[in-house]
């Protein structure tokens, strides 16, 4: 195998990869062996037709595509390593030559890590900010603690009110027909949470247990399911239960239940202290973002679209994992929110770009200042990782290869680069 590298504009490159003819011939044979059991020819039992007969009937190229899929992954991986390029997104593959008895030639157009030209990154000016905690903020935090320690009580002597939680059955119809995903039994819904489309929840206020309610809504024009976009829908809803949160009394007993303190006053003082610490951390993060933003603005880099798309897909997966941990699938979230996959990608793209830019300039700062992670720091980080995954450190080290260890070192260097630019910043 051989590879030729051609640098393109906008942090792109093209690899022209040539695979030996005998390897492609072997891949064709492998493709035949995998597929012959699926092919029947007149006069032959299934799987017994000779390759020459199959190629005569279906054409000599009948196994080429499968053979190419056999060859490309390994050849591309080897070529990517040999090229020495730092590839940052999945390649775009094009086959240039594919014939039996000849070299198999294909190209891989790849996005590569952009070069960064730094501007100013030391002595960045940031606005000096002070923090304070108000009584309203303390009370709001305590109210949240009361909410989380509340209990649900069943209501059977009044109609539903905004803020109640109801247990319902519902069945949805569009154009008089039931639609997929529009049916559920014993569904728990908080009225006023706006987790359902349009004014669905509003129409359940003022209803009683046992009521059958016709709820009329209209799906958003940008709804993820194309067949429902902009369509009016009727939901037949049955109110089965009404529940309401009952908050604990605000007294010393409550303080003892939710904290390590004996009195409400001690608990409130601790809440104030933690709120102050949290605000100070927020200010620190805001200043970090401001500093890094100014470094980005003064730097030059040409980020390929493929790199942004790859980062956006990663962030979408991260979001899906977060909401899955809350018991909701990405598909359900999109159904309730009215978002489409395309719209979500568009909304995440600016954040993806900022994440890439931040990482690139901080890596450039680390390189410019020769900021590196020591072996001791890398070992300490692996100890932290082992504790997080509840593994033995030595076992984790056995699983981590050189590339992963290098990545850990770079992540630590980037963190130190953040500390460096923050410490060198000037408050005004």
């Amino acid at each position: 195998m051989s590879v030729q590298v051609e640098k393109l504009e906008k942090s792109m490159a093209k690899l022209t990869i040539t695979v030996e003819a005998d390897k492609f011939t072997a891949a064709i044979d492998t493709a035949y062996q995998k597929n012959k059991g699926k092919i029947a020819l007149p006069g032959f039992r299934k799987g017994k037709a000779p390759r020459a007969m199959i190629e005569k009937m279906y054409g000599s190229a009948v196994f080429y595509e499968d053979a190419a899929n056999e060859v490309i992954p390994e050849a591309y991986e080897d070529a990517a390593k040999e090229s020495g390029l730092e590839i940052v997104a999945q390649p775009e593959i094009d086959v240039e030559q594919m014939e039996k008895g000849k070299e198999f030639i294909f190209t891989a157009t790849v996005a590569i890590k952009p070069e960064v030209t730094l501007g100013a990154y030391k002595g960045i000016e940031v606005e000096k900010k002070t923090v304070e905690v108000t009584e309203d903020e303390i009370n709001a935090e305590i109210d949240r603690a009361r909410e989380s320690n509340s209990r649900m009580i069943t209501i059977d002597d009044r109609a539903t009110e905004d803020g109640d939680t109801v247990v319902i059955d519902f069945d949805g119809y569009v154009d008089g027909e039931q639609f997929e995903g529009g049916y559920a039994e014993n569904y728990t819904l908080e009225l006023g949470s706006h987790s359902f489309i349009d004014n669905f929840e509003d129409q359940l206020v003022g209803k009683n247990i046992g009521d059958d309610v016709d709820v009329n809504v209209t799906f958003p024009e940008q709804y993820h399911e194309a067949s429902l976009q902009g369509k009016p829908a009727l939901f037949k809803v049955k109110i089965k239960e009404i529940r309401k949160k009952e908050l604990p009394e605000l007294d010393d007993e409550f303080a003892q239940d939710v904290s390590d303190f004996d009195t409400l006053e001690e608990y409130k003082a601790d809440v104030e202290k933690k709120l102050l610490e949290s605000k100070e951390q927020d200010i620190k993060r805001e200043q970090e973002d401001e500093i890094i933003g100014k470094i980005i603005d003064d730097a030059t880099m040409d980020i390929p679209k493929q790199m942004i798309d790859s980062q956006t897909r990663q962030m979408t997966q991260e979001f899906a994992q977060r909401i899955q941990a809350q018991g909701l699938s990405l598909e359900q979230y999109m159904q309730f929110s009215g978002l489409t996959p395309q719209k979500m990608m568009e909304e995440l793209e600016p954040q993806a770009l900022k994440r890439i830019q931040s990482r690139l300039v901080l890596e450039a700062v680390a390189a410019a200042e020769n900021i590196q992670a020591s072996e001791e720091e890398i070992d300490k980080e692996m100890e932290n990782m082992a504790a997080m995954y509840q593994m033995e450190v030595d076992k984790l080290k056995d699983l981590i290869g050189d590339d992963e260890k290098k990545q850990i070192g770079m992540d630590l260097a980037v963190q130190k680069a953040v500390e460096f630019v923050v410490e060198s910043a000037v408050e005004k």
Side-chain angles (χ1 to χ4, degrees), residues 10-28:
K10 297 186 180 298
S11 302
M12 300 292 291
K14 183 165 78 171
L15 311 182
T16 301
I17 303 159
T18 302
V19 179
E20 296 85 346
D22 60 343
K23 283 191 177 180
F24 186 60
T25 299
I28 295 173

Side-chain angles (χ1 to χ4, degrees), residues 105-325:
I105 304 173
F106 69 100
T107 62
T109 304
V110 296
I112 58 178
K113 185 176 177 179
E115 294 182 4
V116 177
T117 303
L118 288 171
Y121 63 89
K122 289 187 278 192
I124 301 295
E125 289 188 346
V126 290
E127 183 181 351
K128 186 174 183 178
K129 296 179 180 178
T130 57
V131 295
E132 61 177 21
V133 176
T134 66
E135 192 70 24
D136 286 344
E137 289 171 328
I138 296 170
N139 291 335
E141 186 66 22
I142 292 173
D143 285 343
R144 279 189 284 272
R146 292 177 71 199
E147 283 278 346
S148 63
N149 286 273
S150 64
R151 65 188 184 98
M152 281 289 186
I153 59 172
T154 301
I155 302 295
D156 56 13
D157 59 352
R158 64 165 174 79
T160 57
E161 297 176 354
D162 195 39
D164 285 345
T165 294
V166 293
V167 178
I168 59 174
D169 295 342
F170 62 82
D171 197 3
Y173 297 83
V174 169
D175 297 329
E177 299 289 334
Q178 290 179 314
F179 61 90
E180 187 176 352
Y183 176 82
E185 291 183 345
N186 297 319
Y187 191 92
T188 301
L189 175 65
E190 182 182 344
L191 303 183
S193 65
H194 305 294
S195 55
F196 270 30
I197 59 170
D198 202 12
N199 59 346
F200 185 102
E201 295 162 31
D202 297 341
Q203 297 177 61
L204 299 182
V205 174
K207 308 302 179 184
N208 293 288
I209 294 173
D211 282 357
D212 293 307
V213 186
D214 285 350
V215 174
N216 291 283
V217 296
T218 301
F219 283 98
E221 292 291 343
Q222 300 301 316
Y223 196 64
H224 73 278
E225 175 54 55
S227 63
L228 299 177
Q229 290 176 355
K231 290 285 188 73
L234 166 66
F235 283 87
K236 292 186 174 296
V237 181
K238 186 171 192 66
I239 309 289
K240 301 179 76 174
E241 288 184 49
I242 306 172
R243 301 171 183 170
K244 181 182 179 180
K245 286 180 184 176
E246 185 176 68
L247 302 180
E249 291 294 326
L250 191 57
D251 53 22
D252 290 345
E253 185 177 344
F254 168 71
Q256 292 162 17
D257 288 340
V258 299
S259 73
D260 296 327
F261 300 98
D262 294 326
T263 68
L264 182 60
E265 286 307 309
E266 289 175 311
Y267 169 57
K268 287 182 71 173
D270 185 64
V271 168
E272 181 177 11
K273 177 187 173 187
K274 288 177 178 174
L275 283 173
L276 188 62
E277 290 171 350
S278 176
K279 282 194 169 190
E280 287 170 345
Q281 285 298 314
D282 288 343
I283 292 295
K284 182 181 177 183
R285 282 191 292 270
E286 287 174 13
Q287 288 187 328
E288 285 179 4
D289 289 344
E290 184 182 351
I291 291 164
I292 294 168
K294 289 184 176 182
I295 296 172
I296 290 170
D297 290 342
D298 211 24
T300 303
M301 62 194 109
D302 203 348
I303 299 174
K305 181 70 164 57
Q306 291 85 340
M307 189 178 187
I308 300 171
D309 291 343
S310 178
Q311 182 67 63
T312 304
R313 284 191 292 271
Q314 180 181 325
M315 292 174 69
T316 302
Q317 291 169 0
E318 291 170 357
F319 177 77
Q321 289 169 356
R322 287 197 301 273
I323 63 170
Q324 190 172 8

Side-chain angles (χ1 to χ4, degrees), residues 275-393:
L275 283 173
L276 188 62
E277 290 171 350
S278 176
K279 282 194 169 190
E280 287 170 345
Q281 285 298 314
D282 288 343
I283 292 295
K284 182 181 177 183
R285 282 191 292 270
E286 287 174 13
Q287 288 187 328
E288 285 179 4
D289 289 344
E290 184 182 351
I291 291 164
I292 294 168
K294 289 184 176 182
I295 296 172
I296 290 170
D297 290 342
D298 211 24
T300 303
M301 62 194 109
D302 203 348
I303 299 174
K305 181 70 164 57
Q306 291 85 340
M307 189 178 187
I308 300 171
D309 291 343
S310 178
Q311 182 67 63
T312 304
R313 284 191 292 271
Q314 180 181 325
M315 292 174 69
T316 302
Q317 291 169 0
E318 291 170 357
F319 177 77
Q321 289 169 356
R322 287 197 301 273
I323 63 170
Q324 190 172 8
Q326 299 170 14
L328 197 67
S329 71
L330 184 60
E331 184 179 15
Q332 288 171 321
Y333 173 81
M334 289 186 175
Q335 184 176 359
F336 295 148
S337 67
L339 276 177
T340 63
Q342 181 63 33
K343 183 68 175 174
M344 175 174 280
M345 293 281 282
E346 289 173 2
E347 290 185 359
L348 286 174
E349 189 171 300
Q351 299 174 45
L353 175 60
K354 183 66 179 293
R355 184 183 287 191
I356 293 168
Q357 290 172 323
S358 299
R359 177 75 182 201
L360 289 175
V361 297
L362 289 168
E363 287 183 1
V365 169
E369 295 294 328
N370 196 27
I371 298 172
Q372 298 178 0
S374 66
E375 285 295 326
E376 292 77 12
E377 289 170 328
I378 294 173
D379 285 342
K380 179 64 176 175
E381 181 64 16
M382 285 196 277
E383 288 175 11
N384 294 337
M385 291 171 64
M388 183 174 66
Y389 293 116
Q390 298 182 334
M391 293 176 62
E392 294 179 7
V393 177

